[in-house]
Amino acid sequence: MALLKILQYPDPRLQRIAKPVAKIDEHVQKVIDRMFATKYHTENCAALAATQLDLPYPPHITVIDLSPTNDQPLCLINAEIIARKGEQFELEGCMSVMPSHIHERVKRAAEITVQALDRHGKTITLSAEGYMAKCIQHELDHLAGKLYIDHLSALKRERIRNKISKINKKT
Ligand code: ZN
């Protein structure tokens, strides 16, 4: 299966806003399959959002699998956070903000309730906490055109940008 290219910051396409999925047809199923294939092929990749991939009109889809055995795929379509509780302040990294040793703490809700469609079009309501809650919030930010570094101060973001451009110049 053809893998998708993961866009890299500061690619402006990372600011695109995902298109809500109106109909889960064969084309959408194929996009989901390619997203999962790309996710499983990429080392240390917990999840991917369609907007961080080289897709022309990225749909509102995120694929997640936090299991070490890669056998608990979770696909959320048109996902929306309907409740938040508490706070966490944990390290985050991103497949679109490489290299992978770049990590910063981001303030997120500790617990969330999400409503979404699964890949068969069934409405699901999901409660998540800790790592999974952090991950879903990070992916839904992507689908709204936002990166985790957008939560940081301008100074910190600038430092990361400089670090990345220095590394890119070397290679
Ligand atoms: Zn990310």
Side-chain angles (χ1 to χ4, degrees):
M1 185 174 304
L3 301 177
L4 293 157
K5 196 178 147 225
I6 301 174
L7 305 176
Q8 292 303 314
Y9 175 78
D11 192 319
R13 286 177 290 173
L14 288 165
Q15 291 164 28
R16 294 176 302 174
I17 291 166
K19 221 172 94 229
V21 177
K23 191 170 163 234
I24 303 172
D25 56 12
E26 231 170 89
H27 168 74
V28 170
Q29 295 293 351
K30 208 172 150 197
V31 169
I32 295 168
D33 286 338
R34 289 181 76 193
M35 287 177 71
F36 269 121
T38 307
K39 182 232 166 295
Y40 288 127
H41 180 81
T42 309
E43 216 183 321
N44 296 322
C45 178
L48 286 173
T51 40
Q52 66 183 134
L53 300 166
D54 189 12
L55 286 164
Y57 297 99
H60 201 291
I61 298 173
T62 177
V63 299
I64 303 170
D65 191 340
L66 304 184
S67 70
T69 40
N70 280 341
D71 57 1
Q72 283 167 46
L74 175 68
C75 171
L76 301 176
I77 301 173
N78 298 343
E80 217 181 313
I81 296 172
I82 53 170
R84 305 163 195 266
K85 218 169 111 187
E87 201 176 279
Q88 58 176 320
F89 190 53
E90 295 297 325
L91 286 173
E92 287 187 29
C94 180
M95 302 320 285
S96 292
V97 185
M98 294 301 268
S100 54
H101 59 74
I102 297 179
H103 286 102
E104 290 292 339
R105 281 182 199 279
V106 177
K107 214 179 270 180
R108 304 272 190 196
E111 289 172 48
I112 55 170
T113 306
V114 177
Q115 200 160 64
L117 298 175
D118 69 7
R119 69 178 297 170
H120 308 292
K122 206 178 122 211
T123 302
I124 50 170
T125 306
L126 183 109
S127 292
E129 55 175 40
Y131 184 28
M132 180 59 101
K134 173 180 94 171
C135 186
I136 293 173
Q137 290 171 86
H138 177 115
E139 298 311 316
L140 294 187
D141 267 3
H142 270 304
L143 293 168
K146 207 167 163 185
L147 298 174
Y148 81 93
I149 53 173
D150 293 327
H151 289 277
L152 307 175
S153 68
L155 184 69
K156 262 194 187 163
R157 202 161 45 241
E158 190 57 30
R159 261 190 225 146
I160 290 176
R161 212 190 158 107
N162 288 338
K163 216 192 262 180
I164 290 171
S165 72
K166 251 185 222 158
I167 291 164
N168 288 344
K169 261 182 213 154
K170 270 187 208 157
T171 52

